[in-house]
Amino acid sequence: EKGGFEHFMLKEIFEQPSVMQDVMRGRIHLEDNTLHLGGVKDHLEKLRKAKRIIICACGTSWHAGLIGEYLIEEFARIPVEVDYASEFRYRTPIISPDDVVMVISQSGETADTLAALRMAKEKGALVMGICNVVGSTIARETTCGMYTHAGPEIGVASTKAFTAQVIVLYMLALALSIGRTIKDEEIALYLKELSEAPQKAASIIAQHADIRAIAKVYKDARNFLYLGRGFNFPVALEGALKLKEISYIHAEGYPAAEMKHGPIALIDKDMPVIFIATRDSTYTKILSNIEEVRTRKGKIIAIATEGDQEISNLADHVIYIPYAAAPVTPLLTVIPLQLLSYYIATERGCNVDRPRNLAKSVTVE
Ligand code: M6R
């Protein structure tokens, strides 16, 4: 059932191009640049008029939520807050009936996320869910929602469910924007960009042997730092979580500009730093962060846009991804990070599908 792969995690990483297509199937229509989001269509007006959207989730789903915040604010101009479900439920949050509370959960059974949803519902907010498991408790208890259609995810480390969640959030953000906050030409462009993601993802996966070679160099590192900005800041967090979970190497993700406010003190020749440095509006800022790490002899692994020569002079290793519009890049930049974690963990002999101390779904708090 692992389809010839050594682990479920690797199979699930490799499945992403086809999962991406499954998530979009029937939902995006390039012939007339429309979106058909069945699970939320009866509530779309309420969602568009929301005073605020509060996203609650845990772990990787929380990272997807952060990307959702950037997407919804950028496209739909609706204020978004993202909270850990465990914090939200215990901090007497302010929720009013014109708020929307959106919960994101692969399993649909995470105890804290479910409790956050029940609390929001009780306070009269519209509750929306983004779940992978059909018929799960969260899917049943939300008023509206969308399934991610990623298929069963067996590996404890979430991979394909994450990319599917991000696509759902991207489609939702666009659906909330049409005729309101962004021009028709932009909708057309962003839909086209999204529809090209699967094929670009496949070309990144095809570089697995090069990524494995980098993993061999760093498999004994004690710490890793992951840095990204904008849409790729949450990807830095996700890359670090993936590495911690399955390889037991300490890793931290930060917004790249925060480096100066503390983490730079950690940098020396034994600290590998992974930069997500795709060509977008903050590219030159990231380059100067890379230079700062280089001056301190940190090892640099950059995820960069194909054709970027400049970065190859600064980084020790570069993993290239095809060009994509900035809001689409998280779907691509996360893939080399998943593969890097996978190969580092397997090189260290770790059980990647069943890492120690972790369960696939956390149904107790
Ligand atoms: O099923 P959920 O999406 O609610 O699970 C949330 C987290 O427990 C989950 O994402 C966890 O962090 C993963 N092991 C990450 O790979």
Side-chain angles (χ1 to χ4, degrees):
E1 39 173 16
K2 289 185 201 146
F5 289 93
E6 205 180 325
H7 296 101
F8 282 109
M9 183 181 175
L10 191 62
K11 169 175 177 269
E12 289 160 4
I13 294 172
F14 273 63
E15 270 171 4
Q16 288 175 110
S18 74
V19 164
M20 288 179 177
Q21 259 151 355
D22 294 341
V23 192
M24 290 185 253
R25 182 162 303 116
R27 289 170 164 170
I28 74 170
H29 296 263
L30 294 174
E31 37 337 317
D32 56 0
N33 294 314
T34 53
L35 288 137
H36 296 245
L37 308 181
V40 292
K41 73 173 189 323
D42 296 338
H43 300 273
L44 215 50
E45 271 325 295
K46 173 111 202 235
L47 290 169
R48 283 161 165 247
K49 291 200 183 106
K51 199 174 75 192
R52 187 170 61 140
I53 297 176
I54 305 164
I55 300 179
C56 293
C58 305
T60 289
S61 298
W62 182 79
H63 296 153
L66 285 180
I67 298 174
E69 171 185 14
Y70 282 58
L71 290 167
I72 296 169
E73 292 199 344
E74 167 100 13
F75 293 152
R77 313 300 299 153
I78 300 169
V80 180
E81 268 173 50
V82 189
D83 216 341
Y84 287 112
S86 56
E87 288 298 312
F88 179 82
R89 62 180 289 206
Y90 287 115
R91 68 172 172 82
T92 56
I94 301 159
I95 314 168
S96 70
D98 37 11
D99 288 330
V100 169
V101 173
M102 188 191 293
V103 288
I104 307 176
S105 175
Q106 186 285 129
S107 61
E109 304 295 345
T110 300
D112 282 320
T113 313
L114 177 60
L117 147 67
R118 287 180 175 159
M119 189 167 131
K121 207 170 168 181
E122 205 172 286
K123 303 248 160 121
L126 173 65
V127 287
M128 173 187 168
I130 297 178
C131 295
N132 192 44
V133 177
V134 176
S136 54
T137 312
I138 293 177
R140 281 187 280 111
E141 294 198 16
T142 38
T143 306
C144 64
M146 287 170 70
Y147 281 116
T148 41
H149 297 314
E153 190 180 64
I154 312 292
V156 163
S158 187
T159 53
K160 63 177 182 170
F162 172 79
T163 42
Q165 288 164 341
V166 174
I167 293 183
V168 164
L169 289 159
Y170 185 108
M171 293 189 295
L172 182 73
L174 283 182
L176 298 175
S177 319
I178 291 183
R180 258 184 81 236
T181 42
I182 69 178
K183 300 192 195 85
D184 291 351
E185 309 88 83
E186 289 174 307
I187 297 277
L189 170 79
Y190 287 125
L191 285 178
K192 180 171 166 292
E193 282 281 332
L194 179 63
S195 69
E196 289 168 356
Q199 163 223 327
K200 292 177 182 173
S203 79
I204 299 167
I205 291 170
Q207 301 176 52
H208 59 90
D210 300 336
I211 298 171
R212 185 173 197 167
I214 301 174
K216 285 192 171 149
V217 178
Y218 295 101
K219 73 178 185 49
D220 296 317
R222 304 280 309 272
N223 299 284
F224 266 84
L225 203 56
Y226 287 71
L227 302 174
R229 294 179 82 117
F231 293 107
N232 285 300
F233 151 55
V235 176
L237 300 182
E238 174 60 6
L241 176 63
K242 228 71 311 172
L243 188 72
K244 291 187 252 226
E245 278 190 293
I246 60 168
S247 74
Y248 319 136
I249 297 175
H250 172 246
E252 299 220 43
Y254 266 96
E258 277 293 306
M259 190 178 85
K260 283 198 177 67
H261 301 279
I264 197 166
L266 294 167
I267 294 170
D268 63 13
K269 65 175 184 15
D270 298 321
M271 175 67 99
V273 185
I274 305 204
F275 279 97
I276 306 167
T278 44
R279 284 273 180 183
D280 57 30
S281 58
T282 55
Y283 175 74
T284 52
K285 312 260 176 201
I286 288 258
L287 275 193
S288 56
N289 295 139
I290 294 181
E291 266 156 16
E292 283 156 358
V293 170
R294 204 179 138 88
T295 315
R296 289 162 183 83
K297 304 201 164 47
K299 299 288 177 301
I300 298 156
I301 304 166
I303 314 294
T305 308
E306 241 161 48
D308 184 347
Q309 298 292 332
E310 212 173 338
I311 213 155
S312 57
N313 300 325
L314 289 174
D316 295 280
H317 311 267
V318 185
I319 303 168
Y320 285 105
I321 67 157
Y323 172 81
V328 174
T329 54
L331 295 168
L332 305 177
T333 54
V334 74
I335 294 174
L337 303 188
Q338 296 167 342
L339 284 168
L340 192 66
S341 303
Y342 173 80
Y343 289 123
I344 289 178
T346 50
E347 288 295 332
R348 290 164 68 91
C350 301
N351 181 350
V352 294
D353 282 339
R354 309 269 333 251
R356 68 186 184 200
N357 309 339
L358 290 171
K360 181 63 185 162
S361 83
V362 183
T363 53
V364 287
E365 34 171 323

